[in-house]
Amino acid sequence: MRSICIFMFLFLFSLAGFAQKAERKHIRQGNSLYEEEKFTEAEIEYRKSLEVDRQSPEGIFNLGNSLFKQEKPKEAIEQYQQITGTEKDSMRLSAAWHNIGNSFMQAQDFGKAIEAYKQALIHNYKDDQTRYNLAKEIVLTYDFKCYTAGRVFT
């Protein structure tokens, strides 16, 4: 009986290692396709990696990036928001919020983009790109409101 338990433990342990290798393989393939700007094919590989491990932060984040590059901001936001709900690392949280801001910008939802950039800066106040994007959005939103209110500044 004891040998059966040991055998089952080793068998399950080896399956976990196999699954991890499969997930990494799909992520690497997706990354190669992403670098070649084959974003649809990269999306497929990232989805395959998530079939192996649904909670893979790298798979989720990279899938969001490939969706963003395909100009699918709503789908990209869904992926990045998964990360914000589970991730503990401040740098990854900041990157996810930054990309949520970029996706809202792409969807022309400027108010939500501003809020996302603020969240990114909460997690990494040193991020100059996020600070730049936030300032740019604030100016664009202010200019848009002034323009639609009939006030034009030169």
Side-chain angles (χ1 to χ4, degrees):
M1 181 69 169
R2 185 175 175 180
S3 62
I4 291 173
C5 288
I6 292 171
F7 175 75
M8 291 299 289
F9 175 75
L10 291 174
F11 177 72
L12 292 175
F13 188 72
S14 66
L15 280 179
F18 176 74
Q20 187 177 22
K21 287 180 183 177
E23 177 219 357
R24 292 295 314 149
K25 175 186 164 207
H26 290 299
I27 288 175
R28 280 193 303 274
Q29 288 174 338
N31 290 347
S32 294
L33 292 164
Y34 186 91
E35 288 174 10
E36 295 172 14
E37 297 184 5
K38 296 179 180 178
F39 303 119
T40 304
E41 292 89 342
E43 174 190 349
I44 293 167
E45 289 301 320
Y46 296 135
R47 288 192 188 278
K48 287 179 183 177
S49 79
L50 292 172
E51 288 175 8
V52 176
D53 179 7
R54 291 185 198 179
Q55 301 301 316
S56 168
E58 190 175 2
I60 295 168
F61 191 82
N62 291 356
L63 175 58
N65 288 346
S66 67
L67 292 166
F68 177 81
K69 289 291 190 174
Q70 294 175 69
E71 298 184 8
K72 298 177 182 178
K74 290 180 183 177
E75 292 178 47
I77 290 167
E78 289 174 10
Q79 297 304 313
Y80 299 133
Q81 285 177 335
Q82 284 185 47
I83 295 169
T84 63
T86 58
E87 185 61 51
K88 304 292 182 220
D89 180 69
S90 289
M91 298 308 277
R92 284 188 180 178
L93 278 168
S94 176
W97 280 110
H98 177 93
N99 287 0
I100 289 170
N102 288 347
S103 298
F104 278 126
M105 227 168 73
Q106 190 178 64
Q108 296 184 345
D109 192 338
F110 304 120
K112 288 183 180 177
I114 289 170
E115 293 307 312
Y117 290 136
K118 287 179 183 178
Q119 285 296 317
L121 289 171
I122 287 170
H123 296 288
N124 180 12
Y125 65 91
K126 294 180 181 180
D127 187 347
D128 289 333
Q129 185 63 50
T130 300
R131 202 176 356 263
Y132 171 80
N133 286 7
L134 175 60
K136 183 172 130 184
E137 279 306 301
I138 290 171
V139 168
L140 287 174
T141 302
Y142 179 76
D143 285 348
F144 178 74
K145 286 179 181 177
C146 289
Y147 177 76
T148 57
R151 291 177 276 175
V152 179
F153 299 99
T154 56

